[in-house]
Amino acid sequence: MTFVKHIVATAAIGLSSVYAADPARAQSAMTILPIAEGLEAPWGVAPLPGGGLLVTEKAGRLVYEKDGIRHEVSNLPEVAVVGQGGLLDITLAQDFEQSRELFLTYAKPQENGGAGTALASARLSDDGSRLENLTELFAMKPGSSGGQHFGSRVVEAPDGTLLMTIGERGDRPAAQDRSRHNGSIIRVNRDGSIPDDNPFVDTPDVLPEIWSYGHRNPQGAGLDLEGRLWVSEHGAKGGDEVNRISKGSNYGWPVISYGEHYSGEKIGEGSAKEGMEQPEFYWDPSIAPAGLMVYSGALFPEWEGDIFVGSLKFDYIARLSGDPLEEVEQIKTEETARVRDVVEGPEGGIWFISEVNGTVYRITP
């Protein structure tokens, strides 16, 4: 992609460069402020209404910080810290201000010595010191050894159901095997029960939690302004994707892809096949996409409905817009080193995690 304009953004630390392919929509000035520093492998962030934040660290810690005071939250689930696995995403319930309920995804140790992606709910205590009523809502079957491709993000849909992404755990054919959870997006109710309208709930030999399948390693997920689910997925060598998820659909991995294996060998049958969904956008070469957020436009009206995706490989935040979807801007600064998560805060700021810097930042005008 050729970037046709260079603009300078005002940042908290020095000057930072922002490259835009669409100068009419580019934001010429923004402030990037560190909100929480000194974190160890931060993975997911949840800004809190009324101020403060919760942030997961992959090694199995949940950090609470507000007004410069930080502590570790106790009573977390047991976490398998292996390879890409550990304590992963955190999402606040839509009614958090009343219920103080939140959702966590993590790699759960399993009896066979392996691990699988799991989902739990809990209530954050009034003082923010511990989790209460910790409840496992879902654990993938059967799990496996190795440390690859756990996913995992969780979002609460407008109807109150939970959608969680799961990678194929490095077992490529399993993404097409609906008797396993590998390479799927699952949907459960807030109590962990299975919704009656899940697409395969009455299909023999298919796990009833599955909402979509054929995914490689979706590490970003967010709802658009119409409540539809979008995910960002790691391809192999090329073929990272942004997909709009529809009920019961097959997203093709490893049968179709716009990338190739790291060895240079062809993947599957090509880039398209009947009955398999096409991505809304893909990157080649791969950017290693992580957190995904669809922006409301609260503080940056010109970005309303745009999709923001963090790049782990090339250290920037991609802004995607239009129909067909295009990458129209790269927010690339000292602060955007290995962007693990991107979310919108309750005040409309864009919050993101730099894994390299061990810091949560906030972008505002």
Side-chain angles (χ1 to χ4, degrees):
M1 182 174 291
T2 301
F3 297 98
V4 298
K5 186 177 182 181
H6 172 267
I7 54 180
V8 178
T10 304
I13 306 172
L15 294 177
S16 305
S17 297
V18 179
Y19 298 90
D22 183 358
R25 292 178 57 82
Q27 179 69 27
S28 60
M30 63 179 71
T31 300
I32 304 178
L33 288 173
I35 304 300
E37 302 177 271
L39 300 163
E40 183 179 341
W43 214 95
V45 60
L48 294 167
L53 78 161
L54 292 164
V55 59
T56 60
E57 294 181 326
K58 190 165 74 73
R61 292 179 293 273
L62 178 61
V63 173
Y64 174 99
E65 182 165 330
K66 186 177 181 181
D67 299 329
I69 299 172
R70 176 183 298 180
H71 61 256
E72 188 175 329
V73 179
S74 65
N75 194 33
L76 269 67
E78 183 182 2
V79 172
V81 182
V82 52
Q84 297 171 3
L87 183 60
L88 303 174
D89 201 19
I90 180 168
T91 296
L92 303 184
Q94 294 173 149
D95 61 0
F96 177 84
E97 290 187 85
Q98 293 76 42
S99 69
R100 296 187 66 78
E101 189 171 6
L102 56 83
F103 311 105
L104 296 169
T105 71
Y106 54 101
K108 177 190 174 183
Q110 296 186 334
E111 292 180 0
N112 62 7
T117 309
L119 170 67
S121 65
R123 181 186 184 276
L124 182 67
S125 64
D126 291 340
D127 62 1
S129 66
R130 66 190 184 281
L131 298 182
E132 302 171 341
N133 304 324
L134 179 67
T135 304
E136 181 185 292
L137 303 180
F138 167 86
M140 70 176 293
K141 299 174 183 177
S144 60
S145 60
Q148 292 179 290
H149 301 179
F150 288 89
S152 170
R153 297 288 174 187
V154 58
V155 300
E156 184 179 2
D159 64 4
T161 60
L162 302 175
L163 293 151
M164 184 182 80
T165 69
I166 305 173
E168 34 80 302
R169 300 289 281 107
D171 182 351
R172 293 192 293 267
Q176 293 293 320
D177 181 356
R178 291 175 293 166
S179 70
R180 304 171 68 184
H181 289 121
N182 301 51
S184 70
I185 293 172
I186 63 100
R187 178 176 179 253
V188 296
N189 292 313
R190 270 178 62 163
D191 63 0
S193 63
I194 299 166
D196 293 338
D197 60 345
N198 270 10
F200 306 114
V201 73
D202 295 319
T203 305
D205 302 320
V206 177
L207 292 171
E209 298 91 351
I210 292 176
W211 183 254
S212 65
Y213 63 106
H215 302 283
R216 184 175 183 269
N217 189 23
Q219 288 195 8
L223 300 175
D224 67 16
L225 305 188
E226 299 177 36
R228 300 173 300 185
L229 180 66
W230 293 72
V231 301
S232 55
E233 307 194 28
H234 287 239
K237 186 179 178 183
D240 291 348
E241 297 180 354
V242 173
N243 284 303
R244 182 162 65 85
I245 304 303
S246 57
K247 176 180 179 177
S249 293
N250 181 354
Y251 288 83
W253 179 258
V255 181
I256 60 172
S257 173
Y258 282 91
E260 60 185 24
H261 292 303
Y262 296 111
S263 65
E265 294 294 317
K266 176 183 175 182
I267 293 173
E269 301 176 19
S271 59
K273 185 174 182 177
E274 186 175 355
M276 296 182 178
E277 301 297 316
Q278 285 290 299
E280 298 294 327
F281 182 82
Y282 71 93
W283 286 275
D284 188 6
S286 295
I287 70 163
L292 177 149
M293 175 270 290
V294 184
Y295 188 58
S296 73
L299 295 184
F300 298 94
E302 66 274 30
W303 291 348
E304 181 179 351
D306 289 356
I307 297 174
F308 291 76
V309 179
S311 168
L312 296 167
K313 183 176 181 181
F314 293 128
D315 300 333
Y316 71 90
I317 300 172
R319 181 169 68 85
L320 297 96
S321 188
D323 186 10
L325 199 64
E326 295 182 288
E327 184 184 88
V328 297
E329 184 173 350
Q330 293 182 359
I331 302 172
K332 186 175 179 67
T333 74
E334 294 176 358
E335 294 78 26
T336 61
R338 196 166 168 83
V339 177
R340 174 60 71 180
D341 197 13
V342 185
V343 302
E344 182 173 348
E347 81 300 343
I350 297 172
W351 297 54
F352 68 92
I353 286 174
S354 166
E355 190 176 275
V356 167
N357 295 336
T359 300
V360 176
Y361 296 98
R362 184 180 62 204
I363 300 174
T364 54

